[in-house]
């Protein structure tokens, strides 16, 4: 260890798995009643690591004066992490469907637009976004086009709408989508909701923990239009509760995702299958150990909100 490293105050210590177990018991107040220490240690060695699991302890509704969690068992963390894994996969699948559908919509718009030759709008977009232009210019050497490089070679240096959409990240594509409709002064619905979908997609793609807190974030700018839509739909939840739930980022983004998916996915077969898969998850695996959270009002309310929202949008 260097002199600078030894003098730096680090935010934590490296712990072995047995030390993690002791830390959970002595420092965090986590119990091992539903999952014993041996199985917990095995889980940490084979399935997940403590930094991720620790985030799920934030579901606790109470802490002691010394900062220890009350009512949290190690099995709660394992169960939430497992549910979260399946939830992320479903959400990522939906956002990929959504991205593809928007690309099809935009390319069709270009093909039927007599004012668009397919190239000029791309030139203006890239000139207005030098960072994206730089990324696109290097795209033929990155992993995105590794398997189909030949399809892009002739467009290098002068991309079209239909070639550009294949090279952009989801965030960049949303920027281009909005730019296109603004450039040609075309009516473009729903784009005000895309930030929520972008945020959810990126969180899923980067394997972030989504279900680690259901506490409303007061400064969070939730989607007011989707919130009002749910209030007017009379889904069986009071308007005050809907507003409170929409201040939980993951619940807001989930509701916005379902609202836009139900309206913008063109294939009824894909939409029907996806909603069935999601409803099966809510009614089966998600509540496999529902007794773990009987005493946790925030978890139960979040589940009921998500289920009601899913029931509403899947029926549209």
């Amino acid at each position: 260890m260097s002199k600078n490293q030894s003098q730096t105050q680090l935010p934590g210590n490296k712990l072995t798995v047995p030390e993690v177990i002791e830390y959970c018991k002595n420092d965090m107040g986590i119990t091992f009643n539903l999952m014993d220490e041996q199985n917990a240690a095995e889980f940490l060695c084979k399935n997940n690591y403590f930094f991720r699991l620790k985030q799920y302890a934030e579901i606790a509704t109470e802490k002691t004066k010394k900062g220890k969690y009350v009512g949290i068992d190690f099995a709660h963390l394992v169960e939430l992490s497992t549910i979260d894994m399946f939830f992320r996969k479903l959400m990522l699948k939906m956002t990929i469907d959504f991205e593809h559908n928007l690309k099809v919509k935009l390319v069709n718009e270009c093909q039927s637009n007599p004012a668009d030759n397919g190239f000029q709008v791309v030139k203006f977009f890239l000139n207005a976004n030098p960072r994206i232009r730089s990324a696109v210019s290097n795209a033929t050497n990155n992993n995105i086009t590794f398997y189909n490089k030949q399809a892009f070679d002739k467009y290098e240096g002068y991309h079209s709408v239909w070639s550009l959409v294949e090279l952009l990240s989801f965030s960049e594509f949303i920027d281009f989508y909005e730019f296109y409709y603004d450039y040609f002064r075309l009516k473009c619905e729903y784009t005000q909701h895309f930030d929520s979908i972008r945020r959810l997609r990126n969180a899923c793609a980067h394997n972030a923990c989504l279900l680690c807190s259901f506490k409303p974030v007061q400064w969070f700018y939730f989607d007011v239009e989707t919130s009002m839509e749910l209030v007017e739909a009379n889904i069986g939840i009071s308007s005050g509760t809907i507003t409170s739930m929409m201040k939980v980022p993951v619940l807001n983004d989930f509701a916005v995702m379902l609202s836009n998916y139900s309206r913008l996915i063109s294939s009824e077969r894909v939409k029907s299958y996806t909603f069935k898969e999601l409803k099966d998850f809510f009614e089966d695996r998600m509540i496999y150990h529902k007794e773990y959270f009987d005493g946790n009002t925030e978890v139960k309310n979040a589940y009921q909100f998500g289920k009601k929202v899913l029931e509403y949008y899947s029926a549209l």
Side-chain angles (χ1 to χ4, degrees), residues 227-278:
S227 180
M228 290 303 299
E229 182 178 70
L230 292 171
V231 170
E232 293 170 1
N234 295 317
I235 63 173
I237 302 177
S238 70
S239 59
T241 299
I242 288 175
T243 298
S244 180
M245 292 291 100
M246 293 292 282
K247 288 183 179 179
V248 179
V250 67
L251 298 182
N252 173 84
D253 295 350
F254 176 67
V256 174
M257 177 74 250
L258 295 189
S259 174
N260 284 266
Y261 194 92
S262 68
R263 291 173 170 85
L264 294 177
I265 296 300
S266 57
S267 170
E268 290 298 325
R269 186 175 181 181
V270 168
K271 189 160 49 177
S272 175
Y273 179 85
T274 301
F275 275 126
K276 182 182 184 304
E277 190 176 22
L278 193 53

Side-chain angles (χ1 to χ4, degrees), residues 46 68 77 102 147 157 165 253 278 315:
K46 296 181 178 180
K68 293 184 178 181
L77 310 184
L102 287 185
Y147 296 107
V165 297
D253 295 350
L278 193 53

Side-chain angles (χ1 to χ4, degrees), residues 17 53 86 151 160 164 206 222 239 245 265 270:
V17 168
L53 283 181
F86 289 119
S160 62
L164 182 70
H206 290 282
F222 64 95
S239 59
M245 292 291 100
I265 296 300
V270 168

Side-chain angles (χ1 to χ4, degrees), residues 295-308:
N296 194 306
T297 303
E298 287 183 355
V299 172
K300 291 166 67 175
N301 287 346
Y303 172 78
Q304 289 300 326
F305 175 78
K307 192 169 186 292
K308 291 285 188 181

Side-chain angles (χ1 to χ4, degrees), residues 17 38-50 53 74 78 81 85:
V17 168
Q38 181 178 346
N39 284 322
E42 185 175 353
F43 184 85
L44 286 169
C45 289
K46 296 181 178 180
N47 301 102
N48 216 327
Y49 49 93
F50 181 59
L53 283 181
F74 194 83
V78 171
S81 71
M85 173 193 68

Side-chain angles (χ1 to χ4, degrees), residues 140 144-156 163:
T140 53
I144 295 176
T145 59
F146 184 82
Y147 296 107
N148 54 349
K149 184 177 182 299
Q150 68 283 354
F152 297 92
D153 283 346
K154 74 174 185 177
Y155 292 100
E156 188 172 358
S163 69

Side-chain angles (χ1 to χ4, degrees), residues 254 278-284 286-287 303 306-307 310:
F254 176 67
L278 193 53
K279 285 194 286 187
D280 287 346
F281 173 61
F282 263 78
E283 295 168 5
D284 186 14
M286 191 174 274
I287 56 173
Y303 172 78
K307 192 169 186 292
L310 176 58

